[in-house]
C-alpha cells in the first residue's frame, strides 16, 4: 500500500494568498484527520471526517480554514487568506474507522511557510 | 484527557533495550495509554497502546503499573532507526481519535 499521500510536500507563499493542501488516504480507510504541528503548540487535530462527513471540526482555528472531503479518496484543507502564524507542518492521517483504538496512519506532511 | 509527563531526552546504545518512562498520575479508569513516535521530518507513527495489562507487539512492549499512574515503553533491541521523539498520551475510548502531542522524549540511539 502506498500509505497516506500528501501534496505538496513544501509550500512557501505570501501572506494573503490562498493555500490548498491535498490528501489521499489509504484505500479502504473510512476516517480522515487533518492535524497541524508547530514547535509552540505541538500536534493539534484540526478536523476529523468519517465516511466523508465532518464529525469534529472543533480544532479548526477560524473561518480562514476550511476542509472538504468530496469522496473517499481525496480531501483538501484550504487556508484563505493565509497569515504568517499559519506556518506549520500539516499532517493528514487516515484510519479504517473512527472507532476507538483504531490506529491512525500519518502522511509525510506538508511544510507550509507563509511570509 | 489525563496529562502525561515524560523526560525530555534520553540516550540509548544500539542493540540494547530502551526503557521510556511516562507518568500519568491523573489517568481515569477508562483512559488508554498510547505511544506514538515521530522520526525527524516524518509523520507520527503508532507504536502500541494498553489499558491495564501489559502489551507486546512487533515494535515494542508496554508495561503499565498496577495503579496505572505510570507506564514504560520498552524497545527491546534499539537500532539507529529508532532515533525519534516518543509521545505518551492518555485518551478515553470516546475521544481517542483526537491525538495531541506535547514535547515527548527525544530518544537518540548511538552506535
Amino acid at each position: 500500500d502506498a500509505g497516506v499521500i500528501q501534496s505538496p510536500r513544501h509550500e512557501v507563499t505570501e501572506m494573503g494568498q490562498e493555500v490548498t493542501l491535498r490528501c489521499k488516504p489509504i484505500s479502504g480507510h473510512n476516517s480522515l484527520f487533518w492535524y497541524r504541528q508547530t514547535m509552540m503548540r505541538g500536534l493539534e487535530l484540526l478536523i476529523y471526517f468519517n465516511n466523508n462527513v465532518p464529525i469534529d471540526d472543533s480544532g479548526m482555528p477560524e473561518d480562514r480554514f476550511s476542509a472538504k472531503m468530496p469522496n473517499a479518496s481525496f480531501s483538501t484543507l484550504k487556508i484563505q487568506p493565509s497569515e504568517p502564524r499559519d506556518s506549520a507542518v500539516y499532517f493528514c492521517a487516515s484510519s479504517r474507522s473512527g472507532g476507538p483504538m483504531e490506529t491512525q496512519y500519518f502522511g509525510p506532511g506538508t511544510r507550509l511557510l507563509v511570509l | 484527557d489525563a496529562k502525561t509527563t515524560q523526560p525530555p531526552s534520553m540516550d540509548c546504545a544500539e542493540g540494547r533495550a530502551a526503557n521510556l518512562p511516562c507518568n500519568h498520575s491523573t489517568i481515569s479508569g477508562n483512559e488508554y495509554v498510547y505511544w506514538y513516535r515521530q522520526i525527524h521530518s516524518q509523520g507520527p507513527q503508532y507504536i502500541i497502546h494498553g489499558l491495564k495489562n501489559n502489551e507486546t507487539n512487533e515494535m515494542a512492549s508496554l508495561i503499565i503499573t498496577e495503579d496505572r499512574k505510570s507506564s514504560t515503553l520498552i524497545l527491546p533491541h534499539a537500532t539507529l532507526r529508532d532515533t525519534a521523539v516518543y509521545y505518551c498520551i492518555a485518551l478515553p475510548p470516546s475521544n481517542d481519535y483526537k491525538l495531541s502531542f506535547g514535547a515527548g522524549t527525544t530518544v537518540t540511539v548511538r552506535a
Side-chain angles (χ1 to χ4, degrees):
Chain A
D1 198 319
V4 175
I5 299 172
Q6 291 186 247
S7 65
R9 293 292 308 277
H10 302 271
E11 178 79 30
V12 180
T13 190
E14 292 187 345
M15 182 174 62
Q17 297 298 307
E18 177 179 293
V19 175
T20 299
L21 311 182
R22 297 172 176 79
C23 175
K24 176 179 169 57
I26 293 172
S27 177
H29 282 192
N30 296 326
S31 294
L32 184 139
F33 310 82
W34 281 101
Y35 288 89
R36 177 172 66 177
Q37 187 174 37
T38 62
M39 289 292 291
M40 291 293 292
R41 301 173 67 91
L43 187 77
E44 304 171 287
L45 176 69
L46 300 176
I47 189 168
Y48 154 45
F49 290 90
N50 187 248
N51 292 322
N52 311 336
V53 176
I55 303 299
D56 184 347
D57 65 354
S58 59
M60 293 287 267
E62 51 200 86
D63 292 344
R64 297 185 299 106
F65 285 68
S66 63
K68 294 182 180 179
M69 192 164 186
N71 56 61
S73 59
F74 183 67
S75 176
T76 59
L77 177 69
K78 187 175 293 187
I79 307 173
Q80 167 62 19
S82 58
E83 297 181 2
R85 61 190 169 126
D86 301 330
S87 298
V89 182
Y90 291 81
F91 289 105
C92 176
S94 70
S95 69
R96 282 182 296 194
S97 76
M101 293 167 283
E102 279 290 345
T103 299
Q104 293 185 29
Y105 296 86
F106 284 77
T110 295
R111 282 154 182 77
L112 173 65
L113 177 61
V114 183
L115 302 174
Chain B
D1 304 339
K3 176 180 168 57
T4 60
T5 304
Q6 300 175 250
S9 65
M10 63 181 293
D11 285 0
C12 176
E14 187 179 23
R16 304 293 294 272
N19 298 311
L20 285 62
C22 179
N23 181 284
H24 32 79
S25 58
T26 62
I27 196 169
S28 299
N30 68 338
E31 288 184 314
Y32 283 72
V33 178
Y34 285 80
W35 283 84
Y36 276 76
R37 73 179 183 183
Q38 191 167 17
I39 297 170
H40 182 61
S41 297
Q42 295 185 21
Q45 178 188 25
Y46 166 83
I47 301 173
I48 199 168
H49 73 274
L51 182 62
K52 52 184 176 182
N53 296 323
N54 298 337
E55 302 288 345
T56 295
N57 63 20
E58 64 279 4
M59 289 184 68
S61 294
L62 174 61
I63 309 297
I64 302 174
T65 58
E66 193 169 338
D67 63 8
R68 301 207 331 119
K69 293 183 184 300
S70 66
S71 60
T72 301
L73 178 75
I74 301 172
L75 307 178
H77 305 286
T79 71
L80 299 178
R81 289 177 295 181
D82 292 322
T83 293
V85 181
Y86 287 75
Y87 300 100
C88 166
I89 54 178
L91 292 169
S94 60
N95 208 29
D96 72 342
Y97 62 83
K98 192 174 285 190
L99 301 180
S100 177
F101 300 158
T105 297
T106 299
V107 174
T108 303
V109 181
R110 303 190 185 281

